[in-house]
Amino acid sequence: MADQLDAQALDEVVTFTSDLIRIDTTNRGGGDCRERPAAEYAAALLAQAGTEPVLLERTEGRTNVVARIEGTDPAADALLLHGHLDVVPAEAADWSVHPFSGEIRDGVVWGRGAVDMKNMDAMILAVVRAWARQGVRPRRDVVIAFTADEEASAEDGSGFLADRHAALFEGCTEGVGESGAFTFHDGAGRQLYPIAAGERGTAWLKLTARGRAGHGSKVNRDNAVTRLAAALGRIGAHQWPLRLTPTVRAALAELAALYGLETVGPVDPRDPEGTDALLDKLGPAAALVEATVRNSANPTMMQAGYKVNVIPGEAVAYVDGRFLPGTEDEFRATLDRLTGPDVEWEFHHREVALQAPVDSPVFARMRAAVEAFAPEGHVVPYCMSGGTDAKQFSRLGITGYGFSPLKLPEDLDYQALFHGVDERVPVEALHFGVRVLDRFLRTA
Ligand SMILES: [Zn+2]
């Protein structure tokens, strides 16, 4: 199948990325964000392509956009295509160019959101408009959702859509969003394209230790700070056991085969040493799996006391915990044990873990679309260490994949650009992405 996108689509994906970056949708958390101008921009482009986008707000200014393209096969399940409109903050003084300039310089589009994820939003818009010009209709219904609030709680975004506007997603069985199908250079000349088929769950924990307040010079065996510190020390030092989910197992097997490491033997969850040895041998590519072979819990914040000679009656800490699909009960029991009887813990924020099949037709089509335009690349499944809007859409029974294709040169480290300084994306990477997305959607 030849490349079926026209030249206008290649121009538009660049223009739309740059335009969307110039619309400052910084999400500072706590409700401090305004996506509406970006939502109106996207809705206007969708309407020009003959769709009927609806704008939806739970909170004034926190706008989501949803549109549906009718497929040719009414019996087929629908596919959700989603991208968020908000971005994380950027400190202009740290950047080489202004983070909201959208400047295109030397073939590169610069600015906050260039890879997370106004690039994907622009690719979706460019594909839909190209289809309108060419009279293309996909086989399945394609539901497009541009969301608010992904970079904070999602309560004004995908959470609101899933809870209050489920009818707009009727028939959707699978969803595609961030982040996957970007080039991962392994340092030895190989180009990997990880496609996400799962996410660890989010368990942000609040720990509270109580004790007896008193003078700092007296004997005190009920010191809340000491109790909290001991619990945090146990949590930080805990060696979480190996837990291989189907996605991670598939990732390890494909990587082992790619690197000629079959001699290590089959990936066996009862053999943590074998798996750790395999990770060692994978070198830089181990970064694609090492954060998802175990649960994790990292202490991140502490609050206690107000004066050096006063023992406070209470001490509070926060822990960033993440759990793999199928391990939440074990995670909770482990936290009960590690915190002990003197420290209470509760969820400050909790989100489900996701598991998507890698042997599905839709995964095969994503793989084929990448391989068509990057024949030198190797697609591998992976599990995301963190989370995306796919968690909220999973409440509607939608199986989520991470697929926002980008072909990146070796000197651009995708993971460093994500939420990083000087976030940018080459024009050629956008051209690759829009071609791959078009191919995938035509065949999905
Ligand atoms: Zn994102």
Side-chain angles (χ1 to χ4, degrees):
M1 201 188 307
D3 179 10
Q4 292 161 311
L5 272 186
D6 59 12
Q8 189 176 336
L10 301 183
D11 289 342
E12 285 191 350
V13 71
V14 178
T15 305
F16 298 164
T17 302
S18 172
D19 285 355
L20 283 166
I21 289 169
R22 276 203 298 278
I23 304 171
D24 182 349
T25 52
T26 300
N27 191 341
R28 292 177 186 81
D32 184 0
C33 181
R34 192 177 151 79
E35 291 91 349
R36 187 187 286 169
E40 287 174 344
Y41 175 88
L45 293 172
L46 287 171
Q48 286 169 15
T51 71
E52 293 172 9
V54 286
L55 286 90
L56 302 149
E57 290 182 350
R58 185 185 81 138
T59 304
E60 195 267 320
R62 311 301 308 276
T63 317
N64 302 271
V65 184
V66 180
R68 183 181 286 254
I69 299 171
E70 242 178 78
T72 54
D73 179 358
D77 295 326
L79 179 76
L80 170 65
L81 196 54
H82 60 99
H84 61 83
L85 296 168
D86 57 331
V87 294
V88 293
E91 214 42 75
D94 299 336
W95 285 55
S96 308
V97 301
H98 194 282
F100 299 102
S101 67
E103 187 177 325
I104 304 168
R105 188 200 286 177
D106 302 329
V108 176
V109 186
W110 292 71
R112 178 57 86 222
V115 301
D116 182 16
M117 61 177 295
K118 287 175 169 173
N119 58 319
M120 176 69 166
D121 299 336
M123 281 156 40
I124 294 169
L125 290 167
V127 167
V128 170
R129 290 163 60 83
W131 287 358
R133 286 191 296 278
Q134 298 171 348
V136 172
R137 275 174 66 197
R139 184 180 66 85
R140 307 169 72 167
D141 275 18
V142 174
V143 175
I144 293 158
F146 294 119
T147 61
D149 204 26
E150 194 274 344
E151 298 288 5
S153 68
E155 284 173 16
D156 280 316
S158 54
F160 161 67
L161 294 177
D163 289 345
R164 300 277 301 281
H165 294 282
L168 292 172
F169 304 92
E170 200 184 316
C172 288
T173 52
E174 289 157 324
V176 164
E178 66 178 329
S179 63
F182 53 89
T183 322
F184 180 95
H185 294 273
D186 76 347
R190 282 196 190 81
Q191 297 175 26
L192 307 178
Y193 285 85
I195 294 176
E199 301 182 359
R200 293 202 299 177
T202 307
W204 292 344
L205 314 176
K206 180 184 181 186
L207 274 58
T208 306
R210 291 194 178 82
R212 184 164 51 81
H215 198 289
S217 72
K218 302 295 185 190
V219 173
N220 188 329
R221 304 202 190 285
D222 305 316
N223 183 322
V225 175
T226 306
R227 287 172 169 174
L228 182 71
L232 290 176
R234 289 191 293 272
I235 292 169
H238 182 63
Q239 297 288 328
W240 292 87
L242 195 70
R243 293 289 177 260
L244 296 181
T245 65
T247 297
V248 174
R249 199 180 297 241
L252 285 169
E254 288 203 29
L255 287 167
L258 186 61
Y259 286 80
L261 297 172
E262 296 96 323
T263 50
V264 171
V267 178
D268 184 347
R270 291 159 303 181
D271 175 21
E273 280 169 19
T275 302
D276 284 334
L278 174 58
L279 289 174
D280 278 347
K281 288 182 181 157
L282 287 175
L288 293 172
V289 277
E290 65 189 358
T292 56
V293 296
R294 295 180 165 85
N295 294 336
S296 62
N298 283 310
T300 49
M301 289 161 66
M302 297 170 78
Q303 295 161 359
Y306 55 91
K307 198 165 184 298
V308 70
N309 59 349
V310 178
I311 298 168
E314 187 178 289
V316 169
Y318 291 84
V319 171
D320 183 343
R322 311 282 176 152
F323 57 90
L324 285 154
T327 69
E328 188 175 356
D329 289 345
E330 180 193 1
F331 181 89
R332 287 172 188 251
T334 304
L335 257 296
D336 285 343
R337 188 164 52 75
L338 292 173
T339 50
D342 298 326
V343 178
E344 292 171 12
W345 72 271
E346 62 189 309
F347 286 115
H348 171 63
H349 183 75
R350 177 194 164 275
E351 299 278 2
V352 294
L354 302 180
Q355 171 68 43
V358 302
D359 56 357
S360 61
V362 75
F363 193 94
R365 285 165 186 146
M366 289 188 283
R367 183 191 289 272
V370 170
E371 287 172 351
F373 294 96
E376 72 290 359
H378 304 278
V379 171
V380 290
Y382 87 120
C383 176
M384 282 190 246
S385 59
T388 72
D389 275 342
K391 291 190 186 314
Q392 275 67 39
F393 290 122
S394 75
R395 288 184 227 159
L396 302 174
I398 298 173
T399 301
Y401 292 95
F403 183 74
S404 308
L406 278 183
K407 185 178 170 70
L408 295 171
E410 189 152 17
D411 60 353
L412 272 188
D413 176 0
Y414 179 79
Q415 300 298 343
L417 294 174
F418 228 78
H419 296 196
V421 169
D422 282 344
E423 185 177 345
R424 60 198 185 277
V425 66
V427 166
E428 279 184 25
L430 293 171
H431 287 175
F432 169 85
V434 76
R435 284 176 167 132
V436 172
L437 186 66
D438 170 68
R439 170 68 60 91
F440 162 63
L441 291 172
R442 281 180 197 237
T443 55

